[in-house]
Amino acid sequence: MRGTGLLAFITICVLSTTHAQVRTLELRLSARDLPDSDPFGGAPDPYAIVHYSASPSDQYVVVGQTTEQDDVNKCEWPEVFPFEYTGPGSVQRIKLDIMDSDFDEDDYIGYVEINLLDIVSSFGMSVEVEIQPTGNGYVKVVGNFVNEGESKQ
């Protein structure tokens, strides 16, 4: 009879992981050390275009965009981006295109790609990634799970 408790514990763990509940994961974005890219060396007017993919085999889909921040090399965007996180086996990912708004044509600063699982499993649900392909700055993504019907916007 000693093993019965362990068997019950294992069964409960298996049932809880196989029937994982989809949860809303809200993401907040910030950037730092962005390069001066405006004419005459001025600070950029950064914004981010947010893309989502449910798996590595799926194409990215644009799901939103941040507001433009004026003349800054460091910023925190006020927008919150909610995603339905499917659980520990998730292969969901986001891609952020970091842009510099200009009068004529916006400049491309770079991009970052992050798996949602990396955010959820990191300390403080926070991940900072170097902007690719040139390493021009960093983007930080902070996640927060919210209860149904609740948002911290």
Side-chain angles (χ1 to χ4, degrees), residues 76 102 145 151:
E76 289 186 26
D102 285 325
F145 282 116
S151 178

Side-chain angles (χ1 to χ4, degrees), residues 3-146:
T4 307
L6 180 59
L7 180 60
F9 174 74
I10 292 171
T11 303
I12 290 169
C13 288
V14 169
L15 288 174
S16 65
T17 58
T18 56
H19 298 292
Q21 182 181 15
V22 174
R23 298 176 67 191
T24 300
L25 174 65
E26 291 184 338
L27 301 180
R28 294 182 184 273
L29 313 175
S30 61
R32 68 177 176 87
D33 300 336
L34 297 174
D36 288 342
S37 55
D38 280 347
F40 310 109
D45 306 308
Y47 67 94
I49 301 171
V50 181
H51 307 260
Y52 170 80
S53 173
S55 74
S57 61
D58 291 344
Q59 295 290 321
Y60 279 109
V61 176
V62 175
V63 295
Q65 179 174 317
T66 66
T67 53
E68 171 191 322
Q69 303 295 305
D70 293 327
D71 300 319
V72 295
N73 299 96
K74 178 180 180 179
C75 65
E76 289 186 26
W77 287 289
E79 294 79 14
V80 175
F81 297 93
F83 294 91
E84 296 304 312
Y85 179 67
T86 58
S90 170
V91 290
Q92 298 165 282
R93 57 199 178 123
I94 59 169
K95 177 183 175 191
L96 307 171
D97 286 324
I98 310 303
M99 307 293 292
D100 173 23
S101 179
D102 285 325
F103 292 113
D104 52 354
E105 185 176 327
D106 294 353
D107 298 320
Y108 181 74
I109 295 174
Y111 72 94
V112 298
E113 288 183 288
I114 304 170
N115 292 326
L116 294 186
L117 179 59
D118 291 341
I119 298 166
V120 171
S121 62
S122 68
F123 179 75
M125 290 182 58
S126 175
V127 174
E128 185 171 70
V129 181
E130 188 173 47
I131 297 172
Q132 299 299 316
T134 59
N136 286 332
Y138 296 86
V139 171
K140 184 176 183 180
V141 180
V142 178
N144 180 57
F145 282 116
V146 293

